[in-house]
Amino acid sequence: MELTRPVFFVGFMGAGKTSVARRLARTCGVASVDMDTYIERREDKKVKEIFAEGGEEGFRAIETDVLRELGAKPDPLLISCGGGVVVTPANHDVFREAGFVVYLEVTADEAASRISDTSTRPLFQNLEAARARCEERLPLYEAVADVRVSTAGKSVPAIAREVQRILEKEGILCPQQR
């Protein structure tokens, strides 16, 4: 299979963006990239360190730069974005111009049950704050989404199959031309 354009996965922390993108990449034989991992390799620092040194603003500037870079690659990718990618208005333009956005819906409570170690998540330190942040970002996720997929009570393979059907129907994931 091949992608006709980049697919961006957005949603709150713990929605399954990286797991679903990886599963889809393996199943369909396309490439995927996790933005936070990419940023850590590029900057040679953990996200937590980038936040500590440059604050959220410093991290978001790097994130926008990386989003543009990944969205412009000649071979389209499945891109799992960080949970806060939607807070930067410039990123909305990148999404619109470069690709297709899949919003994986999750509640903060369900996300908390999925995240085993919140110490690696600078913006998920307690459930109350996470609920407020999730609620605050909801309209932003909805604004950028081309499609919404509920993850409640679903396994990663089930979500990946659902996304695959959507991408095939939209003509974004196609059989390779011979």
Side-chain angles (χ1 to χ4, degrees), residues 104-169:
L104 297 181
E105 298 173 305
V106 69
T107 64
D109 292 82
E110 189 159 349
S113 74
R114 296 176 183 180
I115 300 170
S116 53
D117 178 13
T118 58
S119 72
T120 62
R121 318 257 179 162
L123 297 179
F124 200 132
Q125 295 310 311
N126 72 65
L127 190 53
E128 277 311 306
R131 282 182 185 133
R133 185 166 278 111
C134 189
E135 198 61 36
E136 177 184 295
R137 290 179 180 169
L138 184 66
L140 300 173
Y141 293 133
E142 290 173 344
V144 300
D146 289 301
V147 66
R148 295 160 57 165
V149 176
S150 171
T151 66
K154 296 178 188 168
S155 67
V156 168
I159 298 163
R161 280 191 301 274
E162 188 174 339
V163 172
Q164 182 178 345
R165 281 192 299 271
I166 291 165
L167 296 179
E168 287 171 352
K169 189 177 138 239

Side-chain angles (χ1 to χ4, degrees), residues 17-91:
K17 301 177 297 287
T18 301
S19 300
V20 170
R22 281 187 184 142
R23 177 67 181 228
L24 207 50
R26 276 195 311 274
T27 305
C28 301
V30 295
S32 75
V33 64
D34 175 82
M35 267 185 60
D36 285 348
T37 303
Y38 187 91
I39 289 169
E40 287 180 343
R41 287 191 182 131
R42 191 182 103 159
E43 300 298 311
D44 197 29
K45 291 178 185 144
K46 294 284 182 204
V47 167
K48 196 175 178 177
E49 295 171 281
I50 298 169
F51 263 84
E53 292 171 16
E56 185 172 359
E57 193 176 311
F59 175 78
R60 297 292 172 213
I62 294 167
E63 186 178 56
T64 297
D65 191 40
V66 166
L67 188 68
R68 285 188 180 115
E69 184 183 321
L70 294 174
K73 293 237 181 243
D75 293 324
L77 299 162
L78 298 172
I79 302 163
S80 51
C81 301
V85 71
V86 294
V87 303
T88 307
N91 294 347

